[in-house]
Amino acid sequence: MKIAIAHDYLVQMGGAERVVEVFHQMYPSAPIYTTMFSNNRLLDELRDADIRASWLQKMPGGKSHFKEMLPLYPFAIKDFDFREFDIVLSSSSAFMKSIQVPKNTFHLCYCHTPMRFAWDYDTYMERQTKSSVMKRLLKIYIDQLKQWDQKTSANVNQFIANSSVVKNRIRNYYHRDSDVIFPPINTTRFHSSTNIDNYYLIVSRLVSYKRIDLAVEAFNRNGLPLHIVGEGPDLMRLKGMAKGNVRFLGRLDDASVTKMMAECRALIFPGEEDFGITPLEANAAGRPVVAYQAGGALDTIVPQVNGVFFKRQEVEDLLMAIQEVENHAWDVSRIIGHAQKFDEKTFMEKLKIYMAKAYQQFREGN
């Protein structure tokens, strides 16, 4: 079978891009179709891939202002030609699930979430610094985008959801069924350490909906060291509100992040994510997680085993959860054992079996 991989854009490093990297491991000869990519932000494991970008790749400044290209994506994905392929495996949290494939080509979509900025617009924009006029204009466009997104969900033959909460969103927004296969974790990349330092850790893109501000406020109050790894548009706002015990380390290489995860007191995960690979990476390094009790964390955090929850996105709730982490005696081997249930090899085996079965059913139906 000839297989193609499709992904929204490769201009940032995150959990969805890690999934594409595993797709590439599974099918190294499959080309990767995307709207645009940045060599500076590309994962090392994808540098040998056959990446085929849309005409957005040639837009001046597009890769650094990819969010401002929002109205252009539905047009950019129209030009992809999948006639030579039997299967297109798309990875989508926005537009790529809407690609058009020939009738005899099977489109399997691994959905990280239906586009968050459309279906949860108010929450997504709540802490954005755009003017009220711009927000109103965007709202008009978003209403049209939701209709387009719902209509083009029919372009997918079968959905895979990356978590239980995403499965529910696919049902609510697209009126489609899906099966859950949790994203892969490269557990062999991580190791535990007997040298546990006194800092807490955040590893995240710095965007408002991830609620890094909540963690900054909490650590401003308790005075404990908080190290924040990552970059993004919310950086200056967060720096402006942080006290001296909160350090912003920018983007670090994988080896540095791996070491920090192994030596931190715990990872702080204050936002509602569709799944959340980072908490399991910290678990693979033997460290517990403090997570907001919502979204994908409901599938991955077992209280008192690999982390603790806080119920409301309030400073007081987060502070109590941090104290709970301090008071609990954590079993490192048990934390690591939990993470290994989400290992890449398990993901690959499940996806290959699922795809073969789904493709066979598709062929029989045609």
Side-chain angles (χ1 to χ4, degrees):
M1 295 182 297
K2 289 203 68 176
I3 297 173
I5 297 167
H7 182 63
D8 297 315
Y9 30 64
L10 292 166
V11 293
Q12 58 188 6
M13 291 176 61
E17 288 69 39
R18 294 285 182 188
V19 171
V20 175
E21 182 262 313
V22 174
F23 287 173
H24 178 57
Q25 283 187 51
M26 296 172 67
Y27 308 107
S29 61
I32 300 175
Y33 287 81
T34 189
T35 55
M36 65 178 82
F37 69 95
S38 170
N39 284 318
N40 295 332
R41 301 295 180 87
L42 206 61
L43 293 171
D44 289 341
E45 295 84 355
L46 293 176
R47 294 190 181 279
D48 66 339
D50 175 8
I51 300 177
R52 304 179 184 181
S54 74
W55 48 263
L56 284 177
Q57 182 72 13
K58 298 179 181 179
M59 293 282 287
K63 291 183 281 293
S64 55
H65 299 283
F66 66 95
K67 291 185 178 181
E68 282 74 12
M69 301 290 180
L70 181 64
L72 299 179
Y73 290 110
F75 300 99
I77 63 173
K78 282 185 176 182
D79 291 342
F80 292 135
D81 185 355
F82 296 106
R83 284 177 293 181
E84 64 178 293
F85 301 104
D86 301 300
I87 297 175
V88 177
L89 175 60
S90 67
S91 159
S92 181
S93 59
F95 299 95
M96 203 53 78
K97 70 115 186 68
S98 301
I99 53 175
Q100 296 177 350
V101 303
K103 182 179 178 182
N104 293 327
T105 299
F106 178 59
H107 180 189
L108 177 63
C109 176
Y110 189 86
C111 185
H112 305 281
T113 182
M115 54 178 71
R116 179 191 291 269
F117 51 83
W119 295 101
D120 194 16
Y121 175 80
D122 292 335
T123 301
Y124 191 84
M125 294 297 294
E126 186 177 2
R127 291 170 180 80
Q128 297 285 339
T129 56
K130 299 185 185 299
S131 68
S132 58
V133 174
M134 178 59 72
K135 287 183 179 181
R136 284 197 295 270
L137 290 174
L138 276 172
K139 184 66 166 63
I140 295 171
Y141 172 70
I142 289 297
D143 288 341
Q144 297 174 342
L145 185 62
K146 285 165 67 175
Q147 295 177 29
W148 175 86
D149 187 50
Q150 191 172 67
K151 180 179 179 181
T152 57
S153 66
N155 293 354
V156 176
N157 296 110
Q158 180 65 44
F159 278 102
I160 297 175
N162 77 344
S163 67
S164 301
V165 70
V166 170
K167 177 183 175 72
N168 291 334
R169 290 176 194 164
I170 291 170
R171 181 186 299 117
N172 292 338
Y173 303 150
Y174 300 152
H175 312 298
R176 297 284 301 276
D177 195 15
S178 61
D179 295 295
V180 176
I181 298 179
F182 297 126
I185 309 298
N186 182 4
T187 58
T188 60
R189 175 186 145 203
F190 299 91
H191 55 81
S192 62
S193 174
T194 56
N195 179 32
I196 305 304
D197 211 325
N198 67 339
Y199 65 87
Y200 285 77
L201 181 65
I202 288 176
V203 180
S204 175
R205 286 184 292 116
L206 305 183
V207 292
S208 59
Y209 80 86
K210 291 181 179 286
R211 296 307 315 272
I212 311 301
D213 58 328
L214 178 66
V216 171
E217 289 180 13
F219 282 83
N220 280 347
R221 190 179 300 185
N222 67 17
L224 296 173
L226 175 64
H227 294 179
I228 299 176
V229 176
E231 55 189 14
D234 214 24
L235 175 60
M236 296 311 296
R237 182 177 77 94
L238 293 169
K239 278 188 171 182
M241 62 186 294
K243 292 184 178 179
N245 58 307
V246 180
R247 294 180 58 196
F248 294 86
L249 305 179
R251 179 183 170 191
L252 300 179
D253 59 72
D254 283 353
S256 299
V257 173
T258 298
K259 184 176 186 296
M260 292 192 71
M261 281 190 171
E263 297 179 356
C264 69
R265 300 289 297 173
L267 182 87
I268 306 296
F269 196 65
E272 179 178 350
E273 292 284 359
D274 311 311
F275 179 72
I277 287 178
T278 308
L280 288 170
E281 291 179 333
N283 287 163
R287 304 314 304 151
V289 175
V290 179
Y292 174 48
Q293 192 171 2
L298 299 173
D299 286 326
T300 61
I301 303 299
V302 180
Q304 309 305 320
V305 173
N306 67 323
V308 298
F309 282 127
F310 62 99
K311 292 184 177 181
R312 301 177 303 161
Q313 286 179 313
E314 302 287 346
V315 171
E316 291 76 13
D317 285 39
L318 177 52
L319 287 171
M320 286 191 292
I322 292 167
Q323 192 59 50
E324 190 176 345
V325 164
E326 290 284 337
N327 294 338
H328 187 72
W330 296 100
D331 185 335
V332 172
S333 62
R334 196 177 181 194
I335 293 174
I336 294 173
H338 176 80
Q340 288 173 342
K341 297 175 184 177
F342 299 85
D343 187 66
E344 283 181 354
K345 290 182 180 179
T346 301
F347 174 85
M348 291 180 184
E349 290 170 1
K350 287 182 178 179
L351 181 60
K352 282 188 174 181
I353 293 170
Y354 185 93
M355 191 159 75
K357 183 178 179 180
Y359 179 66
Q360 182 63 33
Q361 292 174 343
F362 170 77
R363 295 294 293 173
E364 292 172 356
N366 279 7

